[in-house]
Amino acid sequence: MNTDEAERDNSMNVPLLDLKAQYATIRDEMREAVDRVLEAQQFIMGPEVAALEKAVADYVGARHGIGMSSGTDALLATLMAYDVGPGDRVIAPAYSFFATAGVIARLHAVPVLVDIDAASYNLSPSSLEQLWGRLDRSVQQRVKAIVPVHLYGQCADMARILEVADRIGVPVIEDAAQSIGTIYRDGRFAGTLGTMGCFSFFPSKNLGGIGDGGMVVTSDDGLAERLRLLRNHGAQPKYYHKIVGGNFRLDTIQAAALLVKLRHLDAWHEARQKHADLYRDLFRQAGLVGTVGLPEVVDPTPGVRSHIYNQFVIRTPNRDALREFLTAQGIGTEIYYPVPFHLQECFGDLGHKAGEFPESERAAHETLALPVYPELMPEQQAYVVERVAAFHKVG
Ligand SMILES: *Cc1c(COP(=O)(O)O)cnc(C)c1O
């Protein structure tokens, strides 16, 4: 948009995420940390990796952190730690980022999909129970894990999921890629409720690196040991391979950058929460509540950080038109995610049909993420809501 148009529209640029704005606040610390790694030239498993593993484990209250090359590889390694292989089954929600189901298929196991809860977008415990009841006994016996996702920054209903998991004797691996620092209602951190929890340091996550990165946290010594082996080709000692793993190591330079950013993480969470509160006020004042659905905190607990707003996701039946309108007004949005797993081309051989997971499909059609990054300004939020109101011709 050129200046004339901008003036005529009283327009503003509000990107979905502004990493440059964040970098401007930590530039000196970041450069110093990266420079230290450059001077040391210990790019693989340098001391910063262990330091970050300890810092993240301490932050969430786990015994171990195992740095990984990405959130995807973190998930992959947890399934490998349980020897998930051809013909095995792993239960996952039908609606999430692709990696949750992709890692299952990569091991030639079968993703067994469950619909989501409409309010939280997370795996529905009642659908999980129904699914389990429908599975043949021979299939039940092949189920190696349940992988709930804590989508957008809010925990799945872990009490009920863990209760079912316990009853059926299947371990729970948490995909907490979007929820590092989210606190469940019992005071425990996302990622520490199952046997293993996976984080992603993809740059758009609340704790984002300067490239790809991830981590598994666990309080099980045996699993931690196995994950450390798996991420380094199963070698111990070097060149003697106990098991077949991969190169899933976290780079030293990522760990160094993440150690800096971790110091700011709580302040960033707080800023995102403040923005979410302001959005709620603004949407209410604009008379938009009911016209657009605002994110629901399904388990609000006083004094507990139940949502870290990795994304602030609204829903509306007119999603695509709204998105197009906002794009034209200089407002960045994103659709997380347009296609649920059961309708993905690559999962065609699972034999699912449209209509099978109605809440996942509805979410795929209706959700839209608005800017909620920590450095977002109140006047930018006011502009976003004013433009959403203009689209709906209210306010
Ligand atoms: C980001 C993300 C991942 C994968 O993380 P990468 O670091 O990008 O590999 C997995 N699951 C969910 C829900 C995510 O949002």
Side-chain angles (χ1 to χ4, degrees):
M1 189 175 287
N2 65 39
T3 322
D4 280 357
E5 277 174 312
E7 272 168 17
R8 196 175 61 236
D9 288 357
N10 191 22
S11 182
M12 214 185 267
N13 242 328
V14 191
L16 180 66
L17 175 66
D18 189 350
L19 288 172
K20 286 183 182 172
Q22 178 162 95
Y23 181 56
T25 69
I26 54 173
R27 178 179 282 114
D28 292 344
E29 304 169 78
M30 288 288 280
R31 288 195 163 176
E32 204 186 295
V34 169
D35 208 40
R36 231 178 296 124
V37 178
L38 289 173
E39 290 300 331
Q41 292 285 306
Q42 203 180 331
F43 297 125
I44 305 298
M45 298 305 285
E48 286 86 352
V49 174
L52 181 74
E53 290 173 339
K54 177 163 184 348
V56 170
D58 288 349
Y59 179 72
V60 300
R63 280 171 64 86
H64 305 277
I66 301 95
M68 295 282 173
S69 35
S70 68
T72 303
D73 289 341
L75 284 164
L76 182 66
T78 59
L79 296 182
M80 291 172 78
Y82 279 139
D83 275 325
V84 170
D88 286 335
R89 307 294 204 275
V90 176
I91 297 175
Y95 182 73
S96 175
F97 176 60
F98 180 74
T100 314
V103 294
I104 301 168
R106 261 182 74 187
L107 295 171
H108 304 283
V110 182
V112 178
L113 303 177
V114 174
D115 207 0
I116 54 166
D117 165 63
S120 69
Y121 302 103
N122 287 323
L123 189 143
S124 153
S126 41
S127 301
L128 172 64
E129 299 228 37
Q130 283 161 24
L131 167 92
W132 187 259
R134 282 199 310 270
L135 293 181
D136 286 341
R137 197 158 161 65
S138 61
V139 175
Q140 286 181 346
Q141 283 166 345
R142 300 221 62 174
V143 174
K144 287 281 188 79
I146 304 172
V147 186
V149 180
H150 307 313
L151 206 64
Y152 305 146
Q154 167 166 248
C155 279
D157 185 348
M158 289 302 285
R160 286 182 64 197
I161 292 169
L162 289 169
E163 190 271 309
V164 175
D166 236 37
R167 181 151 35 87
I168 66 180
V170 174
V172 172
I173 299 167
E174 297 168 78
D175 181 341
Q178 300 185 8
S179 293
I180 187 166
T182 304
I183 301 177
Y184 191 55
R185 64 173 187 233
D186 64 5
R188 288 186 290 168
F189 276 62
T192 68
L193 297 145
T195 57
M196 293 177 272
C198 301
F199 297 126
S200 163
F201 303 130
F202 186 80
S204 69
K205 306 293 159 99
N206 283 33
L207 180 61
I210 53 174
D212 280 309
M215 192 172 289
V216 182
V217 291
T218 182
S219 290
D220 182 309
D221 297 346
L223 286 171
E225 172 69 20
R226 214 167 143 72
L227 290 162
R228 288 201 177 92
L229 274 178
L230 281 165
R231 72 152 165 211
N232 197 20
H233 287 301
Q236 179 147 88
K238 208 170 171 182
Y239 307 125
Y240 292 79
H241 299 267
K242 284 189 156 47
I243 52 177
V244 176
N247 173 359
F248 305 142
R249 294 179 304 254
L250 177 68
D251 287 337
T252 309
I253 210 154
Q254 294 304 333
L258 289 160
L259 275 167
V260 170
K261 287 195 162 194
L262 183 59
R263 298 200 286 262
H264 301 275
L265 185 58
D266 282 345
W268 291 335
H269 288 328
E270 272 164 41
R272 286 173 184 267
Q273 282 172 319
K274 221 171 88 226
H275 299 339
D277 289 345
L278 180 57
Y279 268 138
R280 289 181 202 287
D281 288 345
L282 292 167
F283 274 106
R284 200 175 325 110
Q285 284 160 21
L288 281 165
V289 176
T291 306
V292 301
L294 298 181
E296 285 182 50
V297 179
V298 290
D299 224 354
T301 309
V304 163
R305 189 167 57 209
S306 340
H307 206 317
I308 60 162
Y309 294 100
N310 178 242
Q311 303 296 343
F312 186 90
V313 174
I314 62 168
R315 67 192 308 163
T316 164
N318 284 327
R319 192 266 315 274
D320 291 341
L322 174 62
R323 181 169 199 224
E324 203 177 309
F325 179 80
L326 294 178
T327 304
Q329 312 287 312
I331 297 169
T333 61
E334 189 53 272
I335 299 167
Y336 301 109
Y337 298 90
V339 184
F341 293 154
H342 64 294
L343 302 179
Q344 291 287 356
E345 184 178 344
C346 67
F347 291 142
D349 57 359
L350 295 179
H352 290 295
K353 295 180 295 293
E356 229 176 299
F357 301 103
E359 289 305 337
S360 299
E361 291 170 36
R362 197 161 71 85
H365 285 122
E366 297 187 349
T367 53
L368 189 66
L370 301 181
V372 72
Y373 60 90
E375 299 75 18
L376 190 66
M377 307 294 280
E379 49 282 16
Q380 291 177 301
Q381 290 190 263
Y383 175 67
V384 170
V385 176
E386 188 259 308
R387 291 290 86 198
V388 174
F391 174 80
H392 290 97
K393 302 194 175 52
V394 301

